[in-house]
Amino acid sequence: FTTLTHSLTHMLKPILLPKSNLSVYLVPIFQDNYSYIITPTTKQKSPRPPAALVDCAEPKKVLEKVKELGLEVSEVLTTHKHWDHAGGNKHMAQAYPKIPIIGSASEQVEGVTHKVSSGDTVSVCNGAVHVQVLESPCHTKGHVMYYIENEAIFSGDTFFVGGCGRFFEGSAQEMWNNVQQMKNIPGNVKMFCGHEYTIQNFKFAQTVEPNNEVLSRKRQWAEEQRSKDLPTVPSTLQEEFSYNPFFRCDQKELQDKFETDDPVQVMKLLRQKKDNF
């Protein structure tokens, strides 16, 4: 799978979260990662509005965008310990010694100054928004997602558009538990994930659900987006439950395919099949 140039950072328009009065800017980093800038949409009285950064692993590129937007970094949120998500934390701690660098209490995350666990709420952007912490162990044992109520979830490498992260430090049961958490969140919530893996995920999904028309249409749209070097992120949770096979392990189509009515077993077999795809 060849990714595109991942180069049009300056042209990407913000995704608006109107209930929270927030804007989210996607910053493509490395080959296929995304970092995110969260900032109030309505400019505050301060000359440089605050910006919370999610997975700021390539600080130079992210900070260029922060500067271009005229913002001031207020905190860094880290989803998990892998270098392509947490690798910029030490630089950020040195460059911004007064800001909190937030990450999981359940694993060693480089540069973290404020450790969080499931159920914690963190105030970001100078108190403009409260973000809920959801533990999602599996990809790594201490992976966390960040949820802005009724608006957005930053899923890191737990979930992608059309897929989920490899089970490096967890089990099918844990990933299925993570899916159950998503069922408790409104379907219109936007999901901002850690990588641009969508096309490959959809190619795989069509091998297990070849007759899923929603999936077929979404793949066509995604290929058009990528042909223009545009992101396929965010999706919504409602969309994910309609085409992401890892969200659909309790659906008859998937259970018939894998000859079991146990969604955890479907999850296990599905992940094994994807790992060898």
Side-chain angles (χ1 to χ4, degrees):
F1 174 47
T2 303
T3 57
L4 299 179
T5 56
H6 223 51
S7 61
L8 302 185
T9 310
H10 64 290
M11 293 179 64
L12 295 181
K13 294 180 180 178
I15 308 297
L16 302 179
L17 306 180
K19 296 173 190 171
S20 305
N21 187 36
L22 295 173
S23 295
V24 179
Y25 291 86
L26 284 68
V27 184
I29 61 173
F30 303 129
Q31 186 180 15
D32 54 31
N33 282 74
Y34 287 118
S35 182
Y36 298 100
I37 300 169
I38 306 169
T39 189
T41 302
T42 304
K43 298 309 175 191
Q44 299 177 333
K45 293 179 181 179
S46 58
R48 298 177 69 190
L53 311 181
V54 180
D55 287 349
C56 181
E58 195 175 4
K60 183 175 183 293
K61 189 172 283 188
V62 178
L63 293 175
E64 282 175 1
K65 184 66 176 177
V66 169
K67 183 178 179 182
E68 175 194 320
L69 295 170
L71 306 175
E72 181 72 45
V73 179
S74 52
E75 50 275 304
V76 173
L77 303 167
T78 312
T79 60
H80 64 293
K81 66 186 177 182
H82 289 161
W83 70 271
D84 59 329
H85 296 262
N89 286 354
K90 283 186 178 177
H91 174 94
M92 295 301 294
Q94 291 168 355
Y96 299 90
K98 294 182 179 180
I99 70 164
I101 297 178
I102 299 159
S104 174
S106 299
E107 65 184 20
Q108 283 297 117
V109 183
E110 180 179 309
V112 163
T113 61
H114 289 63
K115 295 184 177 183
V116 293
S117 302
S118 225
D120 288 348
T121 300
V122 292
S123 177
V124 303
C125 295
N126 296 343
V129 65
H130 298 290
V131 178
Q132 297 176 30
V133 179
L134 303 177
E135 290 181 2
S136 56
C138 188
H139 184 68
T140 68
K141 67 177 182 178
H143 196 297
V144 296
M145 300 184 289
Y146 296 102
Y147 175 45
I148 299 173
E149 191 170 12
N150 298 324
E151 292 259 61
I153 188 161
F154 295 85
S155 61
D157 285 3
T158 295
F159 298 121
F160 306 117
V161 179
C164 74
R166 288 177 181 262
F167 302 175
F168 287 132
E169 297 183 359
S171 66
Q173 179 69 66
E174 286 176 308
M175 188 57 79
W176 186 239
N177 292 346
N178 294 334
V179 173
Q180 301 315 296
Q181 286 195 87
M182 298 300 96
K183 289 182 178 179
N184 295 324
I185 295 174
N188 62 349
V189 164
K190 294 179 173 66
M191 187 180 83
F192 295 87
C193 60
H195 290 266
E196 183 59 65
Y197 287 164
T198 304
I199 301 294
Q200 189 73 348
N201 286 340
F202 284 166
K203 287 179 180 177
F204 170 73
Q206 287 186 306
T207 69
V208 293
E209 280 200 285
N211 300 318
N212 187 323
E213 293 182 6
V214 179
L215 170 60
S216 179
R217 288 194 299 270
K218 186 71 174 184
R219 177 179 170 183
Q220 184 178 4
W221 171 85
E223 288 180 340
E224 289 172 2
Q225 286 290 101
R226 297 307 291 147
S227 73
K228 303 170 190 171
D229 210 9
L230 294 172
T232 62
V233 178
S235 61
T236 67
L237 293 183
Q238 183 176 4
E239 286 182 296
E240 294 303 316
F241 278 106
S242 71
Y243 56 59
N244 186 332
F246 296 96
F247 278 58
R248 295 170 55 78
C249 297
D250 55 356
Q251 297 299 301
K252 187 175 187 302
E253 296 90 334
L254 273 294
Q255 295 187 349
D256 287 350
K257 174 81 175 178
F258 291 101
E259 300 179 343
T260 175
D261 59 2
D262 177 3
V264 176
Q265 185 66 9
V266 174
M267 176 70 78
K268 179 181 178 181
L269 296 171
L270 197 56
R271 187 67 251 179
Q272 289 173 355
K273 190 174 175 71
K274 177 67 165 68
D275 288 345
N276 294 305
F277 182 66

mmCIF file of all heavy atoms in Angstrom, residues 173-200:
data_model
loop_
_atom_site.group_PDB
_atom_site.id
_atom_site.type_symbol
_atom_site.label_atom_id
_atom_site.label_comp_id
_atom_site.label_asym_id
_atom_site.label_seq_id
_atom_site.Cartn_x
_atom_site.Cartn_y
_atom_site.Cartn_z
ATOM 1 N N GLN A 173 -10.716 -10.240 23.353
ATOM 2 C CA GLN A 173 -11.717 -9.840 24.346
ATOM 3 C C GLN A 173 -11.566 -8.359 24.687
ATOM 4 O O GLN A 173 -12.562 -7.623 24.778
ATOM 5 C CB GLN A 173 -11.571 -10.683 25.617
ATOM 6 C CG GLN A 173 -12.564 -10.311 26.724
ATOM 7 C CD GLN A 173 -14.002 -10.666 26.376
ATOM 8 O OE1 GLN A 173 -14.332 -11.844 26.250
ATOM 9 N NE2 GLN A 173 -14.864 -9.660 26.223
ATOM 10 N N GLU A 174 -10.332 -7.903 24.859
ATOM 11 C CA GLU A 174 -10.115 -6.488 25.189
ATOM 12 C C GLU A 174 -10.555 -5.579 24.040
ATOM 13 O O GLU A 174 -11.184 -4.539 24.270
ATOM 14 C CB GLU A 174 -8.646 -6.249 25.532
ATOM 15 C CG GLU A 174 -8.270 -6.786 26.904
ATOM 16 C CD GLU A 174 -6.795 -6.628 27.205
ATOM 17 O OE1 GLU A 174 -5.967 -7.046 26.375
ATOM 18 O OE2 GLU A 174 -6.464 -6.092 28.280
ATOM 19 N N MET A 175 -10.237 -5.976 22.802
ATOM 20 C CA MET A 175 -10.654 -5.129 21.687
ATOM 21 C C MET A 175 -12.179 -5.121 21.558
ATOM 22 O O MET A 175 -12.776 -4.074 21.269
ATOM 23 C CB MET A 175 -10.016 -5.584 20.374
ATOM 24 C CG MET A 175 -10.261 -4.628 19.220
ATOM 25 S SD MET A 175 -9.705 -2.908 19.514
ATOM 26 C CE MET A 175 -7.935 -3.061 19.208
ATOM 27 N N TRP A 176 -12.815 -6.247 21.809
ATOM 28 C CA TRP A 176 -14.277 -6.266 21.765
ATOM 29 C C TRP A 176 -14.859 -5.404 22.883
ATOM 30 O O TRP A 176 -15.864 -4.710 22.686
ATOM 31 C CB TRP A 176 -14.797 -7.697 21.842
ATOM 32 C CG TRP A 176 -16.286 -7.791 21.666
ATOM 33 C CD1 TRP A 176 -17.188 -8.307 22.544
ATOM 34 C CD2 TRP A 176 -17.059 -7.338 20.542
ATOM 35 N NE1 TRP A 176 -18.466 -8.206 22.055
ATOM 36 C CE2 TRP A 176 -18.419 -7.605 20.821
ATOM 37 C CE3 TRP A 176 -16.743 -6.722 19.332
ATOM 38 C CZ2 TRP A 176 -19.453 -7.289 19.935
ATOM 39 C CZ3 TRP A 176 -17.767 -6.404 18.445
ATOM 40 C CH2 TRP A 176 -19.099 -6.691 18.744
ATOM 41 N N ASN A 177 -14.210 -5.404 24.047
ATOM 42 C CA ASN A 177 -14.638 -4.507 25.131
ATOM 43 C C ASN A 177 -14.534 -3.045 24.694
ATOM 44 O O ASN A 177 -15.389 -2.213 25.043
ATOM 45 C CB ASN A 177 -13.779 -4.725 26.380
ATOM 46 C CG ASN A 177 -14.010 -6.068 27.033
ATOM 47 O OD1 ASN A 177 -14.984 -6.767 26.727
ATOM 48 N ND2 ASN A 177 -13.110 -6.456 27.920
ATOM 49 N N ASN A 178 -13.493 -2.737 23.925
ATOM 50 C CA ASN A 178 -13.331 -1.369 23.423
ATOM 51 C C ASN A 178 -14.470 -0.995 22.477
ATOM 52 O O ASN A 178 -14.961 0.145 22.495
ATOM 53 C CB ASN A 178 -11.981 -1.222 22.711
ATOM 54 C CG ASN A 178 -10.803 -1.376 23.658
ATOM 55 O OD1 ASN A 178 -10.909 -1.133 24.858
ATOM 56 N ND2 ASN A 178 -9.671 -1.804 23.117
ATOM 57 N N VAL A 179 -14.888 -1.952 21.658
ATOM 58 C CA VAL A 179 -16.030 -1.713 20.767
ATOM 59 C C VAL A 179 -17.290 -1.429 21.593
ATOM 60 O O VAL A 179 -18.076 -0.538 21.255
ATOM 61 C CB VAL A 179 -16.257 -2.910 19.821
ATOM 62 C CG1 VAL A 179 -17.551 -2.721 19.018
ATOM 63 C CG2 VAL A 179 -15.074 -3.086 18.878
ATOM 64 N N GLN A 180 -17.442 -2.179 22.695
ATOM 65 C CA GLN A 180 -18.627 -1.960 23.550
ATOM 66 C C GLN A 180 -18.644 -0.535 24.096
ATOM 67 O O GLN A 180 -19.714 0.081 24.233
ATOM 68 C CB GLN A 180 -18.659 -2.975 24.700
ATOM 69 C CG GLN A 180 -18.689 -4.443 24.267
ATOM 70 C CD GLN A 180 -19.671 -4.708 23.137
ATOM 71 O OE1 GLN A 180 -20.881 -4.543 23.291
ATOM 72 N NE2 GLN A 180 -19.149 -5.106 21.989
ATOM 73 N N GLN A 181 -17.465 -0.007 24.420
ATOM 74 C CA GLN A 181 -17.406 1.394 24.871
ATOM 75 C C GLN A 181 -17.957 2.334 23.803
ATOM 76 O O GLN A 181 -18.645 3.317 24.110
ATOM 77 C CB GLN A 181 -15.961 1.811 25.181
ATOM 78 C CG GLN A 181 -15.373 1.268 26.457
ATOM 79 C CD GLN A 181 -14.105 2.036 26.825
ATOM 80 O OE1 GLN A 181 -14.175 3.067 27.480
ATOM 81 N NE2 GLN A 181 -12.953 1.536 26.399
ATOM 82 N N MET A 182 -17.647 2.030 22.561
ATOM 83 C CA MET A 182 -18.099 2.895 21.465
ATOM 84 C C MET A 182 -19.625 2.868 21.321
ATOM 85 O O MET A 182 -20.229 3.842 20.861
ATOM 86 C CB MET A 182 -17.452 2.473 20.142
ATOM 87 C CG MET A 182 -15.939 2.579 20.102
ATOM 88 S SD MET A 182 -15.315 4.255 20.385
ATOM 89 C CE MET A 182 -14.959 4.195 22.140
ATOM 90 N N LYS A 183 -20.246 1.764 21.717
ATOM 91 C CA LYS A 183 -21.707 1.669 21.632
ATOM 92 C C LYS A 183 -22.398 2.613 22.614
ATOM 93 O O LYS A 183 -23.576 2.925 22.463
ATOM 94 C CB LYS A 183 -22.155 0.227 21.893
ATOM 95 C CG LYS A 183 -21.800 -0.731 20.770
ATOM 96 C CD LYS A 183 -22.312 -2.133 21.062
ATOM 97 C CE LYS A 183 -22.006 -3.081 19.916
ATOM 98 N NZ LYS A 183 -22.474 -4.460 20.181
ATOM 99 N N ASN A 184 -21.659 3.060 23.624
ATOM 100 C CA ASN A 184 -22.225 3.968 24.628
ATOM 101 C C ASN A 184 -22.056 5.442 24.247
ATOM 102 O O ASN A 184 -22.419 6.324 25.020
ATOM 103 C CB ASN A 184 -21.563 3.717 25.984
ATOM 104 C CG ASN A 184 -21.880 2.327 26.518
ATOM 105 O OD1 ASN A 184 -22.983 1.821 26.335
ATOM 106 N ND2 ASN A 184 -20.902 1.705 27.160
ATOM 107 N N ILE A 185 -21.502 5.688 23.057
ATOM 108 C CA ILE A 185 -21.240 7.046 22.590
ATOM 109 C C ILE A 185 -22.158 7.323 21.404
ATOM 110 O O ILE A 185 -22.359 6.441 20.555
ATOM 111 C CB ILE A 185 -19.748 7.182 22.191
ATOM 112 C CG1 ILE A 185 -18.864 7.014 23.438
ATOM 113 C CG2 ILE A 185 -19.471 8.520 21.525
ATOM 114 C CD1 ILE A 185 -17.385 6.977 23.143
ATOM 115 N N PRO A 186 -22.745 8.505 21.318
ATOM 116 C CA PRO A 186 -23.662 8.796 20.205
ATOM 117 C C PRO A 186 -23.036 8.553 18.833
ATOM 118 O O PRO A 186 -21.847 8.826 18.611
ATOM 119 C CB PRO A 186 -23.993 10.279 20.403
ATOM 120 C CG PRO A 186 -23.799 10.517 21.865
ATOM 121 C CD PRO A 186 -22.649 9.639 22.270
ATOM 122 N N GLY A 187 -23.851 8.054 17.896
ATOM 123 C CA GLY A 187 -23.350 7.670 16.585
ATOM 124 C C GLY A 187 -22.840 8.815 15.740
ATOM 125 O O GLY A 187 -22.035 8.606 14.823
ATOM 126 N N ASN A 188 -23.287 10.053 16.038
ATOM 127 C CA ASN A 188 -22.838 11.188 15.225
ATOM 128 C C ASN A 188 -21.483 11.742 15.684
ATOM 129 O O ASN A 188 -20.970 12.698 15.094
ATOM 130 C CB ASN A 188 -23.884 12.312 15.229
ATOM 131 C CG ASN A 188 -24.134 12.885 16.621
ATOM 132 O OD1 ASN A 188 -23.684 12.328 17.619
ATOM 133 N ND2 ASN A 188 -24.856 13.987 16.670
ATOM 134 N N VAL A 189 -20.901 11.138 16.717
ATOM 135 C CA VAL A 189 -19.587 11.587 17.199
ATOM 136 C C VAL A 189 -18.524 11.284 16.144
ATOM 137 O O VAL A 189 -18.484 10.203 15.562
ATOM 138 C CB VAL A 189 -19.249 10.902 18.542
ATOM 139 C CG1 VAL A 189 -17.762 11.014 18.875
ATOM 140 C CG2 VAL A 189 -20.089 11.513 19.661
ATOM 141 N N LYS A 190 -17.672 12.269 15.891
ATOM 142 C CA LYS A 190 -16.616 12.134 14.888
ATOM 143 C C LYS A 190 -15.418 11.388 15.492
ATOM 144 O O LYS A 190 -15.010 11.671 16.618
ATOM 145 C CB LYS A 190 -16.172 13.509 14.377
ATOM 146 C CG LYS A 190 -17.254 14.246 13.608
ATOM 147 C CD LYS A 190 -16.771 15.611 13.154
ATOM 148 C CE LYS A 190 -17.775 16.288 12.237
ATOM 149 N NZ LYS A 190 -19.043 16.638 12.928
ATOM 150 N N MET A 191 -14.864 10.455 14.728
ATOM 151 C CA MET A 191 -13.710 9.681 15.185
ATOM 152 C C MET A 191 -12.456 10.127 14.431
ATOM 153 O O MET A 191 -12.369 10.007 13.211
ATOM 154 C CB MET A 191 -13.949 8.182 14.976
ATOM 155 C CG MET A 191 -12.862 7.319 15.585
ATOM 156 S SD MET A 191 -13.159 5.546 15.332
ATOM 157 C CE MET A 191 -12.500 5.337 13.673
ATOM 158 N N PHE A 192 -11.505 10.644 15.192
ATOM 159 C CA PHE A 192 -10.221 11.082 14.649
ATOM 160 C C PHE A 192 -9.171 10.033 15.039
ATOM 161 O O PHE A 192 -8.837 9.902 16.214
ATOM 162 C CB PHE A 192 -9.831 12.445 15.226
ATOM 163 C CG PHE A 192 -10.752 13.573 14.835
ATOM 164 C CD1 PHE A 192 -11.905 13.847 15.582
ATOM 165 C CD2 PHE A 192 -10.477 14.363 13.727
ATOM 166 C CE1 PHE A 192 -12.754 14.896 15.230
ATOM 167 C CE2 PHE A 192 -11.320 15.414 13.375
ATOM 168 C CZ PHE A 192 -12.454 15.677 14.129
ATOM 169 N N CYS A 193 -8.658 9.312 14.062
ATOM 170 C CA CYS A 193 -7.740 8.202 14.370
ATOM 171 C C CYS A 193 -6.291 8.578 14.082
ATOM 172 O O CYS A 193 -5.995 9.666 13.581
ATOM 173 C CB CYS A 193 -8.149 6.955 13.604
ATOM 174 S SG CYS A 193 -8.140 7.145 11.807
ATOM 175 N N GLY A 194 -5.391 7.643 14.363
ATOM 176 C CA GLY A 194 -3.962 7.939 14.338
ATOM 177 C C GLY A 194 -3.254 7.758 13.016
ATOM 178 O O GLY A 194 -2.122 8.199 12.848
ATOM 179 N N HIS A 195 -3.915 7.090 12.044
ATOM 180 C CA HIS A 195 -3.248 6.809 10.768
ATOM 181 C C HIS A 195 -4.222 6.876 9.604
ATOM 182 O O HIS A 195 -5.419 6.641 9.768
ATOM 183 C CB HIS A 195 -2.631 5.396 10.773
ATOM 184 C CG HIS A 195 -1.458 5.238 11.665
ATOM 185 N ND1 HIS A 195 -0.152 5.382 11.228
ATOM 186 C CD2 HIS A 195 -1.373 4.922 12.976
ATOM 187 C CE1 HIS A 195 0.679 5.170 12.234
ATOM 188 N NE2 HIS A 195 -0.046 4.895 13.309
ATOM 189 N N GLU A 196 -3.682 7.134 8.437
ATOM 190 C CA GLU A 196 -4.422 7.078 7.180
ATOM 191 C C GLU A 196 -4.258 5.666 6.600
ATOM 192 O O GLU A 196 -3.428 5.423 5.728
ATOM 193 C CB GLU A 196 -3.887 8.143 6.203
ATOM 194 C CG GLU A 196 -4.622 8.230 4.874
ATOM 195 C CD GLU A 196 -6.093 8.551 5.026
ATOM 196 O OE1 GLU A 196 -6.435 9.667 5.493
ATOM 197 O OE2 GLU A 196 -6.904 7.668 4.675
ATOM 198 N N TYR A 197 -5.052 4.741 7.138
ATOM 199 C CA TYR A 197 -5.006 3.343 6.710
ATOM 200 C C TYR A 197 -6.280 2.930 5.971
ATOM 201 O O TYR A 197 -6.510 1.748 5.721
ATOM 202 C CB TYR A 197 -4.889 2.429 7.939
ATOM 203 C CG TYR A 197 -3.551 2.397 8.644
ATOM 204 C CD1 TYR A 197 -3.458 1.868 9.934
ATOM 205 C CD2 TYR A 197 -2.384 2.861 8.049
ATOM 206 C CE1 TYR A 197 -2.249 1.805 10.598
ATOM 207 C CE2 TYR A 197 -1.177 2.819 8.713
ATOM 208 C CZ TYR A 197 -1.107 2.280 9.992
ATOM 209 O OH TYR A 197 0.090 2.216 10.646
ATOM 210 N N THR A 198 -7.112 3.895 5.614
ATOM 211 C CA THR A 198 -8.486 3.597 5.222
ATOM 212 C C THR A 198 -8.603 2.698 3.994
ATOM 213 O O THR A 198 -9.359 1.722 4.005
ATOM 214 C CB THR A 198 -9.248 4.908 4.989
ATOM 215 O OG1 THR A 198 -9.156 5.709 6.179
ATOM 216 C CG2 THR A 198 -10.700 4.644 4.661
ATOM 217 N N ILE A 199 -7.878 3.005 2.936
ATOM 218 C CA ILE A 199 -8.034 2.238 1.690
ATOM 219 C C ILE A 199 -7.706 0.770 1.928
ATOM 220 O O ILE A 199 -8.458 -0.134 1.536
ATOM 221 C CB ILE A 199 -7.152 2.813 0.567
ATOM 222 C CG1 ILE A 199 -7.502 4.269 0.275
ATOM 223 C CG2 ILE A 199 -7.279 1.950 -0.689
ATOM 224 C CD1 ILE A 199 -8.882 4.486 -0.298
ATOM 225 N N GLN A 200 -6.581 0.519 2.588
ATOM 226 C CA GLN A 200 -6.192 -0.869 2.846
ATOM 227 C C GLN A 200 -7.212 -1.550 3.759
ATOM 228 O O GLN A 200 -7.534 -2.735 3.567
ATOM 229 C CB GLN A 200 -4.786 -0.907 3.466
ATOM 230 C CG GLN A 200 -4.178 -2.299 3.581
ATOM 231 C CD GLN A 200 -3.724 -2.880 2.249
ATOM 232 O OE1 GLN A 200 -4.050 -2.337 1.190
ATOM 233 N NE2 GLN A 200 -2.999 -3.974 2.290
#
